[in-house]
């Protein structure tokens, strides 16, 4: 489907999506292993990561409800020029749980950077990962070369203006409120995450084939347990703290790239006042899942930023 140009994500809304056919039980039983030829897995500072390539280090941070695998289409091309490190967020995919606020997650990513001896890095994030990437640049400027924000800005007080009831025909980010609840989400979703990702995919993908059945099975399985559902909830339950943290952040002085799908028409407005060197790439042919719907565009934009 085509998203309304006003978009769900213009006020900092975040999500990811998966579509699928077939039942939940069959999907869980057939979940494949995420393996990307030419890349290797590792664990450091409590985080699971997948890495490959040589050159300047580029850290990729995924969103909800996805894993490092959301970058599998862009990683091979980027690894021809850079050392790519795609991480799993704390509590997902073998990464050790941490507090859900974006400053704490950015601290965990910084610990990984230090443990791997990477020095200053380029950091790029999508969705929740974009919030973390911004927080990384704000809290660890000496460790940041550039920062790329895909589709979702760091939370600020605009989130409090999201209406309870959306106008007819306009999608509504209901999951922001849903994930605030304690106890109910995991009761509804444990072992049934494919229903959630089916809905999100239909809502936020332009090209429904961009995230295939194998990808969907991987993502659904990653958020199928009580614990992983609670972890995802925590990223939204911490938004109030993120908003307070944002008030204390200074201006980002490293080059900052915003890549905006048609779901995020306000990203340029949100980023322009937060950095001294802000560049925007609009991708009106893509829904929210930029690395999977328009991987070539994302690779070109990141490469143009980093050099």
């Amino acid at each position: 489907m085509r998203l309304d140009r006003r978009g769900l994500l213009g006020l900092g809304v975040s999500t990811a999506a998966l579509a699928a056919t077939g039942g939940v039980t069959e999907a869980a039983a057939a979940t494949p292993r995420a393996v990307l030829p030419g890349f290797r897995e590792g664990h450091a500072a409590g985080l699971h990561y997948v890495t490959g390539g040589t050159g300047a280090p580029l850290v990729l941070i995924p969103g909800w409800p996805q894993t490092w695998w959301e970058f599998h289409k862009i990683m091979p091309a980027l690894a021809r020029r850079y050392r790519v490190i795609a991480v799993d967020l704390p509590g997902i995919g073998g990464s050790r749980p941490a507090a859900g606020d974006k400053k704490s997650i950015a601290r965990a990513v910084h610990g990984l950077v230090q443990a791997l001896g990477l020095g200053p890095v380029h950091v790029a994030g999508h969705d929740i990962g974009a919030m973390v990437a911004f927080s990384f640049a704000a809290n660890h400027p000496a460790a940041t070369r550039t920062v790329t924000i895909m589709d979702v800005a760091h939370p600020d007080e605009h989130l409090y203006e999201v209406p309870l009831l959306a106008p007819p025909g306009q999608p509504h980010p209901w999951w922001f409120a849903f994930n605030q609840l304690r106890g109910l989400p995991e009761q509804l979703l444990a072992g049934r995450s494919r229903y959630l990702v089916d809905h999100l995919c239909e809502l936020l993908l332009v090209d429904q084939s961009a995230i295939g059945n194998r990808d969907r099975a991987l993502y659904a399985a990653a958020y199928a347990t009580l614990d992983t559902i609670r972890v995802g909830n925590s990223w939204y339950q911490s938004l109030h703290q993120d908003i307070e943290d944002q008030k204390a952040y200074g201006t980002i002085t490293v080059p900052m790239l915003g890549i905006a799908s048609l779901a995020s028409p306000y990203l340029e407005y949100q980023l322009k006042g937060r950095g001294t060197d802000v560049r925007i790439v609009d991708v009106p042919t893509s829904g929210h899942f930029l690395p999977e719907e328009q991987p070539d565009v994302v690779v070109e934009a990141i490469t143009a930023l980093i050099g």
Side-chain angles (χ1 to χ4, degrees):
M1 73 178 286
R2 284 204 170 272
L3 298 172
D4 188 297
R5 179 60 192 169
R6 287 171 292 184
L8 299 185
L9 305 180
L11 295 177
V13 176
S14 81
T15 186
L18 322 152
T21 58
V24 173
T25 301
E26 290 87 344
T31 300
R33 177 174 168 78
V35 177
L36 193 59
F39 291 79
R40 62 178 179 82
E41 291 186 86
H43 288 82
L47 294 182
H48 171 254
Y49 66 92
V50 176
T51 186
T54 58
L58 168 61
V59 178
L60 303 175
I61 310 173
W64 175 88
Q66 295 186 289
T67 69
W68 73 268
W69 184 255
E70 75 158 286
F71 300 116
H72 74 278
K73 292 183 181 179
I74 67 173
M75 289 169 66
L78 291 171
R80 297 187 192 110
R81 301 174 66 102
Y82 316 111
R83 179 181 177 184
V84 176
I85 306 98
V87 305
D88 271 326
L89 290 168
I92 302 298
S95 290
R96 185 172 60 213
D101 65 283
K102 311 312 168 291
K103 181 186 286 188
S104 292
I105 301 175
R107 186 182 305 118
V109 174
H110 184 248
L112 172 70
V113 169
Q114 291 182 311
L116 295 179
L118 297 178
V121 298
H122 304 280
V123 59
H126 173 247
D127 188 82
I128 291 290
M131 302 179 187
V132 176
F134 183 93
S135 184
F136 186 97
N139 289 286
H140 308 284
T144 310
R145 295 188 183 186
T146 66
V147 58
T148 297
I149 307 297
M150 285 183 263
D151 227 37
V152 178
H154 190 279
D156 62 20
E157 289 183 312
H158 285 101
L159 279 178
Y160 295 135
E161 300 172 10
V162 177
L164 177 65
L165 187 65
Q170 187 170 337
H172 188 268
W174 58 268
W175 54 92
F176 264 62
F178 178 74
N179 279 308
Q180 298 297 319
L181 300 174
R182 298 181 185 273
L184 183 61
E186 58 265 43
Q187 290 177 323
L188 295 176
L189 293 175
R192 299 165 58 87
S193 295
R194 285 294 285 260
Y195 293 109
L196 170 69
V197 299
D198 283 352
H199 168 77
L200 293 176
C201 184
E202 181 180 353
L203 187 65
L204 291 173
L205 275 173
V206 171
D207 178 3
Q208 295 291 317
S209 69
I211 299 177
N213 189 63
R214 179 173 184 268
D215 311 319
R216 299 161 190 165
L218 285 167
Y219 299 144
Y223 291 83
T225 70
L226 295 172
D227 287 341
T228 54
I229 293 165
R230 291 183 187 117
V231 165
N233 297 157
S234 75
W235 303 333
Y236 291 87
Q237 292 164 0
S238 69
L239 291 174
H240 301 289
Q241 182 61 52
D242 297 331
I243 291 169
E244 291 305 308
D245 290 339
Q246 170 66 41
K247 295 176 182 178
Y249 292 159
T251 303
I252 303 299
T253 58
V254 300
M256 179 161 56
L257 169 67
I259 308 179
S261 78
L262 61 81
S264 190
Y266 305 112
L267 187 63
E268 179 174 9
Y269 167 78
Q270 292 173 296
L271 295 183
K272 280 295 187 182
R274 300 184 182 180
T276 59
D277 181 3
V278 178
R279 313 165 195 192
I280 301 294
V281 173
D282 286 312
V283 192
T285 57
S286 180
H288 174 57
F289 312 106
L290 288 154
E292 288 158 299
E293 284 207 74
Q294 293 292 334
D296 292 343
V297 175
V298 172
V299 169
E300 182 179 356
I302 292 176
T303 301
L305 175 73
I306 298 176

